Amino acid sequence: MAMVKKKKGLYVLLIGIFIFSFGFYEVGSNHFAYAATTFPKGSSIGGIDVGEKTEDEAVSLLLSAIERWKNEGDFIVQTANDSVVIPYKNIKFDVKASVKEMTNQIDKPWYAFFTKSEPQQLPLTVSVDVTDELLDKFGNSIDVKKTVQLIENTISYLGQHKITAVSSNQNDAEATIAETSWEIPSDYLFMDELLEELNRISIPANSSFSYLESIADKVSYYSEAEGNFVVSMLYALLLQTNVEFVERHSQGIIPSYSEPGIEAKVSKNEKKDFIVYNSGPNEIRVTAEQTGNVLKMGLRSKKPENTYRYSIENSLDVDYRTINRYNKDLQPGHRQVLQPGQKGKRVEVYRITVSSTGEKIDKELISKDFYLPTPEILLLAPAVEETGDGTETGENAGTGEASTTTEDGTVPTDQKTNTTTGPGNTMNATDSNDANHAATTDDSIYEQPNVVK
């Protein structure tokens, strides 16, 4: 009988939980069903800031921006012999689809409900109706498909009102605008797929390029170290073009294959991407070829009016600190380097624009990079002095303070030695009295919880 009552009570409890959960779901659904979506701060559509706006507010804002853009003048395509006006009736903006795409981009799965949505930058959805009349005006020397793509890319960010048509023989006018060769580290074993994807990369004018989307996400096996090598090389090349760097992260260390400031990092797990925007007027193609342990990478495009180069300036070395660690079991005068010190560095990277006549016409700061120094860690035996009465004292290095030894010749466990690690900085290191640690220099023994290696 008691068992029956227990089962009955259990059923009642389960039914109560079900009803409560269902009611909570209904209330929650009713509560959020009509909540307006607000886009994350920093989000933009077509270059228009829609951060902290609802969908309706974003639509209204974009429509107003499009009208202002149209009122600035006609949209003109310059051909070799004429200027062709593209009527605005032939240009279709789908604002609602643009806003819907933004909503889809920031939409999160149920298990990520409490995570913060990242800001997004999307183009406007635009299409151009190419009539027979426009085709006649373009003529046979124009690559219509590429020209229309250039028009749509430009308008999708409400860009300039005048572009140059893409010639049908543009490929014949291509040239190598930047080229470099780097030695591949010996332990990089999965470069083949990366190179295959690199050779497929082209960045049309007025378009963005994402390394994670275009390369990393398309290979069957991705090594972050090899990805950093490739993207660093690509970064060095794109510094010699007029692209805009939307997102670039430093590795925080100076890799062996490059120089300070000329490196980049991409990470799927940390969501760190490398994104550039080609503001035009020409498409940029990537070429990559491996010969032995050397990777040769280049950029091909129609020869630009201006040329570009990068400059590393204001390089400053940052001294490292020395951390002294003491062990009473070592012979007097013992000194061992547990970790060599390495200087840090600060650099600034600039892009220089040079005209066709060789005149420097612009200098743009691209990045400021800082590489932390690596502290030097020394293992020392405490200095010992013999006093006039025959007793021994241990002198604390760098402080002039003395610590008296116990009867068995050891330093008390609560006796600390102040160790100077740099100008104005002091760290504490304690002696080890564990018999198992005697006569060893294993770095893990001397690691202190407040010392960062």
Side-chain angles (χ1 to χ4, degrees):
M1 185 66 180
M3 183 63 68
V4 173
K5 287 183 177 180
K6 286 183 179 180
K7 288 185 177 181
K8 184 176 181 181
L10 179 61
Y11 294 150
V12 171
L13 178 62
L14 291 175
I15 293 172
I17 292 173
F18 174 80
I19 294 173
F20 176 81
S21 301
F22 182 78
F24 181 82
Y25 172 80
E26 285 295 305
V27 171
S29 299
N30 292 334
H31 180 71
F32 292 105
Y34 301 101
T37 300
T38 301
F39 299 131
K41 185 177 181 180
S43 296
S44 64
I45 299 177
I48 305 301
D49 186 3
V50 295
E52 302 180 326
K53 303 292 184 185
T54 65
E55 292 184 9
D56 290 341
E57 289 172 338
V59 168
S60 178
L61 186 65
L62 291 172
L63 289 174
S64 298
I66 291 170
E67 287 305 312
R68 289 195 302 271
W69 179 81
K70 289 180 178 179
N71 291 332
E72 292 176 4
D74 294 331
F75 189 86
I76 300 172
V77 177
Q78 183 68 49
T79 67
N81 304 314
D82 199 5
S83 296
V84 180
V85 176
I86 308 297
Y88 285 126
K89 67 179 181 181
N90 291 47
I91 301 173
K92 311 297 182 183
F93 291 91
D94 195 338
V95 175
K96 290 185 177 180
S98 304
V99 173
K100 183 63 176 177
E101 178 62 23
M102 175 65 77
T103 303
N104 292 338
Q105 289 292 328
I106 67 169
D107 191 25
K108 299 174 295 186
W110 64 268
Y111 53 81
F113 178 78
F114 293 103
T115 61
K116 183 179 179 181
S117 297
E118 296 295 326
Q120 302 291 324
Q121 291 77 40
L122 302 178
L124 281 162
T125 302
V126 180
S127 61
V128 177
D129 181 18
V130 182
T131 62
D132 292 338
E133 182 181 358
L134 283 177
L135 288 174
D136 291 339
K137 291 181 179 180
F138 284 155
N140 296 327
S141 62
I142 300 301
D143 187 322
V144 177
K145 183 178 179 180
K146 290 185 177 180
T147 298
V148 171
Q149 183 65 55
L150 179 58
I151 294 172
E152 292 176 348
N153 289 339
T154 302
I155 296 176
S156 67
Y157 283 93
L158 299 181
Q160 56 191 346
H161 284 70
K162 186 175 182 179
I163 66 168
T164 301
V166 180
S167 173
S168 58
N169 61 353
Q170 184 189 30
N171 289 336
D172 297 334
E174 269 192 352
T176 299
I177 60 173
E179 192 172 52
T180 188
S181 296
W182 289 8
E183 184 175 341
I184 304 172
S186 58
D187 56 342
Y188 288 8
L189 306 176
F190 301 96
M191 296 293 294
D192 292 346
E193 280 193 84
L194 289 176
L195 299 187
E196 185 177 342
E197 295 301 329
L198 277 170
N199 280 306
R200 296 174 179 172
I201 296 301
S202 64
I203 313 174
N206 301 288
S207 296
S208 296
F209 163 79
S210 161
Y211 182 91
L212 289 183
E213 293 179 2
S214 301
I215 298 180
D217 289 344
K218 294 187 177 180
V219 297
S220 59
Y221 176 80
Y222 181 72
S223 164
E224 186 169 302
E226 295 178 20
N228 288 344
F229 173 80
V230 169
V231 77
S232 296
M233 201 170 181
L234 186 59
Y235 178 51
L237 291 173
L238 290 172
L239 280 169
Q240 303 172 62
T241 71
N242 67 333
V243 302
E244 300 173 14
F245 295 98
V246 179
E247 182 178 347
R248 173 257 175 183
H249 302 274
S250 171
Q251 296 181 30
I253 60 172
I254 305 171
S256 60
Y257 46 76
S258 186
E259 53 189 327
I262 311 302
E263 46 80 20
K265 175 181 180 177
V266 286
S267 173
K268 288 184 176 181
N269 295 333
E270 299 177 39
K271 296 183 179 179
K272 291 183 177 181
D273 201 353
F274 177 76
I275 302 175
V276 299
Y277 177 73
N278 179 11
S279 55
N282 304 312
E283 179 184 62
I284 298 174
R285 290 195 306 109
V286 180
T287 62
E289 180 183 4
Q290 180 178 351
T291 303
N293 65 336
V294 175
L295 175 59
K296 180 179 180 182
M297 191 184 300
L299 301 178
R300 292 187 61 81
S301 181
K302 186 176 180 181
K303 190 173 181 180
E305 181 179 351
N306 300 320
T307 56
Y308 305 86
R309 58 182 175 84
Y310 64 81
S311 173
I312 303 173
E313 301 182 13
N314 300 323
S315 178
L316 176 66
D317 287 337
V318 180
D319 288 335
Y320 59 81
R321 303 181 302 172
T322 296
I323 301 174
N324 293 333
R325 295 179 179 173
Y326 295 89
N327 189 312
K328 66 177 181 58
D329 296 319
L330 300 177
Q331 293 295 325
H334 179 91
R335 184 181 186 275
Q336 180 180 349
V337 178
L338 297 180
Q339 175 176 281
Q342 183 175 354
K343 289 186 176 182
K345 189 174 286 290
R346 296 179 187 271
V347 296
E348 295 178 357
V349 178
Y350 291 85
R351 177 165 52 190
I352 312 296
T353 304
V354 182
S355 69
S356 57
T357 60
E359 179 185 1
K360 186 170 72 173
I361 58 178
D362 190 30
K363 182 178 180 180
E364 176 188 5
L365 175 64
I366 299 297
S367 71
K368 292 182 178 181
D369 293 317
F370 173 58
Y371 303 94
L372 284 170
T374 301
E376 178 186 50
I377 301 178
L378 300 179
L379 178 63
L380 306 172
V384 178
E385 288 185 350
E386 184 174 340
T387 64
D389 58 3
T391 61
E392 293 183 346
T393 61
E395 183 179 344
N396 290 340
T399 67
E401 299 175 0
S403 60
T404 305
T405 58
T406 61
E407 292 182 357
D408 61 358
T410 62
V411 179
T413 57
D414 61 348
Q415 176 66 52
K416 293 187 177 180
T417 299
N418 291 328
T419 303
T420 302
T421 60
N425 296 317
T426 300
M427 288 189 179
N428 292 327
T430 59
D431 288 334
S432 171
N433 294 312
D434 191 337
N436 294 328
H437 295 167
T440 177
T441 58
D442 183 7
D443 188 30
S444 63
I445 295 174
Y446 308 99
E447 184 68 41
Q448 304 301 318
N450 63 334
V451 176
V452 180
K453 292 180 59 179

